[in-house]
Amino acid sequence: FHEACHAFTATLLGDDLPRRQGRVTLNPLAHLEPFGTLMLLFAGFGWAKPVQHNPHGLKIRPKTATLLVAAAGPLSNFLSAFLLALPIKLGWAPYINPFGSVSGVDGMNEYVGLFLTGGVYINVILGVFNLIPIPPLDGSWILMGVLPLNLAIRYSQIRPYGFIILFALMWTGMISRI
């Protein structure tokens, strides 16, 4: 849903590249990145294929377009968390802490509550994580969209080292494994 929202936002702003690449879809297969998927399975963290977009020639300035497309991902996570939390808040499903013991979960309603609560936690964590301003995370594109042009250009110079910075922060424990 996160990547589809990036694609949908870019398309809404007049960019047809995500549509031509088949990314304006909720089909998860369109968003799988092979190595990121393997990392998710074997290392416990991974990533999807980033949505490409062309911010030039749109209805709005390229910096603003990039900021809006980048913000759509984390916003989709927060929206998902809100929607998943509604049945719990309305009392239709119980809150069950997915980080606690789930051995006592019994009955369909409790399994639904566990699923919803887990989805809320995962989406909030992913939304916050993606706001970290380290490339290639969405937060770096958002930051570049709000920085003055001269600072944005200087900041963009760390882009080739973003994965190294992220892995170093994860390895040192400064960013806990998700």
Side-chain angles (χ1 to χ4, degrees):
F1 186 62
H2 178 107
E3 294 302 324
C5 285
H6 284 307
F8 179 74
T9 302
T11 303
L12 217 76
L13 295 172
D15 184 4
D16 68 338
L17 180 60
R19 185 175 309 285
R20 287 186 285 126
Q21 293 180 334
R23 303 298 302 280
V24 186
T25 178
L26 292 175
N27 182 348
L29 297 178
H31 304 289
L32 287 182
E33 198 280 329
F35 187 67
T37 304
L38 288 174
M39 290 292 289
L40 181 64
L41 294 173
F42 295 111
F45 66 92
W47 54 90
K49 183 176 11 174
V51 170
Q52 296 177 337
H53 73 285
N54 179 8
H56 301 283
L58 299 180
K59 305 171 209 171
I60 59 177
R61 293 178 2 171
K63 273 183 68 169
T64 305
T66 298
L67 183 148
L68 292 173
V69 171
L75 287 175
S76 74
N77 289 114
F78 297 131
L79 175 64
S80 296
F82 173 78
L83 293 174
L84 290 168
L86 275 179
I88 297 167
K89 184 69 177 165
L90 294 172
W92 298 342
Y95 168 85
I96 298 186
N97 185 351
F99 300 111
S101 173
V102 294
S103 60
V105 175
D106 188 31
M108 180 59 79
N109 196 36
E110 288 187 0
Y111 281 109
V112 169
L114 177 62
F115 171 80
L116 293 172
T117 308
V120 170
Y121 276 101
I122 288 170
N123 276 286
V124 169
I125 290 168
L126 287 175
V128 170
F129 179 76
N130 271 286
L131 287 174
I132 296 172
I134 299 172
L137 300 176
D138 296 327
S140 68
W141 293 105
I142 294 169
L143 180 60
M144 283 183 49
V146 298
L147 286 174
L149 185 59
N150 62 333
L151 291 177
I153 291 169
R154 288 179 58 193
Y155 175 72
S156 71
Q157 293 173 343
I158 71 165
R159 188 151 302 283
Y161 311 104
F163 269 113
I164 296 168
I165 295 168
L166 275 176
F167 282 119
L169 291 173
M170 289 172 72
W171 184 68
T172 61
M174 293 180 78
I175 297 177
S176 297
R177 240 181 67 192
I178 293 179

